[in-house]
Amino acid sequence: MIEFLSLKDVNNEMALELKEAANRVIDSGWYISGNELGSFEKKFAEYCCVKHCLGVANGLDALILTIRAWKELGKLKDGDEVLVPANTYIASVLAITENNLKPVLVEPEEKTFNLNPELLKQHLTARTKAILPVHLYGQLADMPKICQFAKEHNLLVLEDSAQSHGASIDGKRAGSWGDASGFSFYPGKNLGALGDAGAITTNDDQLADVLMSLRNYGSKQKYKNDFVGVNSRLDEIQAAFLSVKLKYLDDQTARRRKVANQYLAGLKNTLVQVPHVVRQEQHVWHLFVVRTTHREKLQTYLKESGIQTLIHYPIPPHKQQAYKEFNSMSLPLTEKIHEEVLSLPIGPTMSQIDVETVISRINSFRA
């Protein structure tokens, strides 16, 4: 079986260092909000070229808390509208509605799957206050155009960088384009913890100050609560693991790109549409997502060939029962994408033989 992604193999490459990090935390006797967290936050802020990184419990909390902090600062209020790609994972939309704001779903660019900056203006209203671009599958959205639009219309920009650790445009990395950014370190991410974990990056001192409180019960000083906060802290052992894994991120990204480039060069079946890459540095290949009108047949065929694939994501947010108020919306491109996408195996430990096998089997597929 060719696994979609072997986390065991990924972590085995640094297993000794991970075990040493775990032992260091266990022996320290300090397990929440200690030196390991501070060390990782500093390293990841430097990696993203921003002033602040704040570890939180997961990627969804990173988005929710950032919007919540802007509300506390008076920059957003209930009912404000946030432009967000319609074809994103539901977490991007949940972060908006959790804060009593209104998601305005925008169709993506067909080639890149990312938010289409050319469509932003037609969704702009007097209540539009923010844009939440998602760097889907590991490729940065067109942040120069999106940020320019935001600047012209005085909008906040919150990047959803959950899948794009290390991706860049002209040397400017994910997490440093917007007013703030939310990252996920879910185990399957390019930079993945060994459990749930997330972080917020920003250059805004005031925002970082509020977030420091919000993630810790609304408190910076014990038993003194300035906000109605939550418990969303990146614990010491996950921070220690992430510090280890951050050292390997760029090398693993290079290996992902090698696999992706082999796919791009080798996949010749006209029934299968390969991803469009704007530029090499802009994509870190969290996922390699093809499109086909024969998805069910292709997935079954690959499974029978011993190749594991996944679908990211089968149902768009506006068709979910959770958002039944949006179920009647017509977003034809988004719906078409969700009906056709299929994610192929990709990862930094994938062998040359496995890549060639996937290519060969897909090229042999007939509907």
Side-chain angles (χ1 to χ4, degrees):
M1 168 67 74
I2 298 175
E3 290 184 75
F4 179 77
L5 173 67
S6 174
L7 291 179
K8 182 177 180 179
D9 288 348
V10 171
N11 291 324
N12 272 347
E13 292 192 339
M14 57 200 85
L16 181 59
E17 289 181 77
L18 291 171
K19 291 172 183 177
E20 288 173 348
N23 287 336
R24 185 172 67 247
V25 174
I26 292 167
D27 292 344
S28 75
W30 193 293
Y31 309 121
I32 297 287
S33 301
N35 292 333
E36 298 290 349
L37 175 61
S39 176
F40 172 70
E41 288 175 330
K42 183 176 184 295
K43 291 171 184 173
F44 196 64
E46 290 173 351
Y47 182 82
C48 295
C49 300
V50 295
K51 291 171 66 176
H52 304 285
C53 169
L54 299 101
V56 292
N58 54 68
L60 176 57
D61 279 4
L63 299 176
I64 290 174
L65 289 173
T66 302
I67 295 173
R68 169 76 182 283
W70 280 333
K71 290 182 73 177
E72 295 286 359
L73 289 167
K75 295 185 177 184
L76 294 173
K77 64 181 185 303
D78 286 2
D80 283 345
E81 295 176 353
V82 181
L83 306 180
V84 61
N87 63 312
T88 184
Y89 179 56
I90 198 170
S92 312
V93 182
L94 288 171
I96 298 168
T97 58
E98 180 69 15
N99 280 289
N100 296 316
L101 274 63
K102 180 182 177 182
V104 176
L105 303 175
V106 181
E107 290 267 53
E109 295 177 324
E110 185 161 12
K111 284 186 175 181
T112 67
F113 304 112
N114 279 329
L115 182 66
N116 189 340
E118 305 304 324
L119 299 181
L120 294 175
K121 190 171 184 179
Q122 71 184 54
H123 293 281
L124 190 69
T125 73
R127 298 175 70 182
T128 308
K129 300 300 178 184
I131 308 174
L132 202 163
V134 181
H135 308 315
L136 201 63
Y137 307 145
Q139 181 161 223
L140 279 188
D142 191 341
M143 294 310 294
K145 286 186 179 179
I146 291 169
C147 290
Q148 181 60 37
F149 181 87
K151 183 178 180 181
E152 291 171 359
H153 299 282
N154 195 30
L155 306 177
L156 295 165
V157 176
L158 172 56
E159 295 174 75
D160 184 338
S161 299
Q163 301 182 2
S164 60
H165 315 75
S168 64
I169 299 174
D170 296 330
K172 188 175 175 64
R173 280 181 165 155
S176 66
W177 283 92
D179 297 283
S181 179
F183 283 89
S184 168
F185 305 122
Y186 180 80
K189 303 299 187 186
N190 290 28
L191 178 61
L194 274 67
D196 269 324
I200 301 159
T201 57
T202 185
N203 284 312
D204 186 330
D205 296 340
Q206 190 178 30
L207 176 65
D209 189 61
V210 173
L211 285 166
M212 285 281 287
S213 292
L214 285 178
R215 70 176 179 179
N216 185 44
Y217 300 97
S219 172
K220 281 190 294 185
Q221 180 180 338
K222 196 168 186 178
Y223 301 130
K224 183 177 180 181
N225 301 81
D226 302 309
F227 304 99
V228 180
V230 299
N231 176 13
S232 181
R233 298 176 296 202
L234 174 59
D235 63 55
E236 286 287 277
I237 201 160
Q238 297 301 340
F241 290 151
L242 287 166
S243 287
V244 170
K245 299 188 79 173
L246 182 58
K247 297 186 296 182
Y248 294 85
L249 178 58
D250 287 344
D251 175 65
Q252 292 191 341
T253 297
R255 285 187 270 163
R256 284 177 176 272
R257 285 176 174 152
K258 182 178 178 181
V259 173
N261 286 333
Q262 288 178 265
Y263 278 151
L264 292 171
L267 291 171
K268 302 297 185 183
N269 193 325
T270 57
L271 297 175
V272 179
Q273 179 183 323
V274 299
H276 173 77
V277 185
V278 179
R279 59 183 100 181
Q280 187 74 228
E281 65 170 5
Q282 198 164 334
H283 209 319
V284 293
W285 298 105
H286 172 58
L287 299 171
F288 190 97
V289 180
V290 299
R291 284 179 63 184
T292 177
T293 56
H294 307 283
R295 182 173 69 189
E296 184 177 347
K297 287 184 178 180
L298 177 59
Q299 187 171 40
T300 299
Y301 167 80
L302 291 175
K303 182 179 179 180
E304 291 171 350
S305 300
I307 299 168
Q308 182 184 26
T309 61
L310 297 176
I311 298 172
H312 298 86
Y313 305 96
I315 305 172
H318 73 285
K319 294 299 184 183
Q320 297 283 358
Q321 176 62 24
Y323 287 116
K324 52 185 179 291
E325 66 270 29
F326 299 143
N327 287 174
S328 62
M329 290 181 68
S330 176
L331 293 161
L333 178 54
T334 290
E335 291 157 21
K336 184 175 176 62
I337 287 171
H338 282 261
E339 290 168 358
E340 296 180 355
V341 290
L342 184 67
S343 301
L344 304 185
I346 191 168
T349 62
M350 192 173 178
S351 73
Q352 175 80 20
I353 292 174
D354 284 351
V355 177
E356 291 172 356
T357 299
V358 174
I359 291 171
S360 174
R361 297 309 294 160
I362 290 177
N363 285 342
S364 299
F365 171 70
R366 298 293 180 265

